[in-house]
Amino acid sequence: MVFFPEASDFIGNPTEEALELSHPIEPPGPFLAGICSQAKELGVWCSVGIHEKSPFPDRLYNTHVVVNDEGSIVDAYRKIHLFDVDILNGPRLLESKNTLAGDRVVDPVPTPVGKVGLAICYDLR
């Protein structure tokens, strides 16, 4: 099994670029389609973070996808706990400005290496 990090598909700057580059997972966009194809060709499972297009033109999802060795998407999790910080006279970072929060926790996914829990970055805090 191959584990890729959060946002493996691209780093978009500014926000407009990230929104333009995001793709749906069904059908998968070019990056995820490539992961699915290679997973099948190489007979490996993959865990990968992508930017998923949402129903809203000004927001995307931060999504964790598991692909099996047949190239099929087994499950996907959309980050629920977005990183928003606004410190007086300090940094102001609002992930919620351009990211839509997911609405469900995904059960651990049975894989050849054991059950894999799906979470993304700030979800763990």
Side-chain angles (χ1 to χ4, degrees):
M1 184 156 188
V2 179
F3 292 89
F4 294 94
E6 173 184 12
S8 290
D9 48 356
F10 62 85
I11 299 295
N13 192 13
T15 300
E16 294 77 26
E17 182 182 19
L19 293 168
E20 183 180 318
L21 292 172
S22 65
H23 289 279
I25 59 173
E26 290 296 333
F31 176 81
L32 187 55
I35 293 288
C36 292
S37 174
Q38 287 297 296
K40 182 176 182 177
E41 183 177 326
L42 300 173
V44 298
W45 284 59
C46 294
S47 166
V48 60
I50 65 162
H51 297 87
E52 178 190 359
K53 192 169 286 299
S54 84
F56 303 97
D58 61 340
R59 300 250 176 102
L60 51 80
Y61 290 114
N62 187 347
T63 304
H64 181 168
V65 179
V66 174
V67 177
N68 68 17
D69 58 354
E70 297 175 4
S72 299
I73 295 169
V74 176
D75 212 338
Y77 165 78
R78 295 174 177 144
K79 184 177 179 183
I80 293 173
H81 304 97
L82 303 180
F83 182 74
D84 283 356
V85 63
D86 190 359
I87 299 172
L88 184 64
N89 300 319
R92 184 170 195 254
L93 304 167
L94 302 174
E95 185 177 22
S96 63
K97 183 177 178 183
N98 60 8
T99 303
L100 188 62
D103 61 1
R104 71 181 182 97
V105 174
V106 176
D107 289 335
V109 177
T111 75
V113 298
K115 292 181 180 179
V116 173
L118 306 187
I120 300 171
C121 189
Y122 197 65
D123 281 325
L124 300 175
R125 298 181 185 177

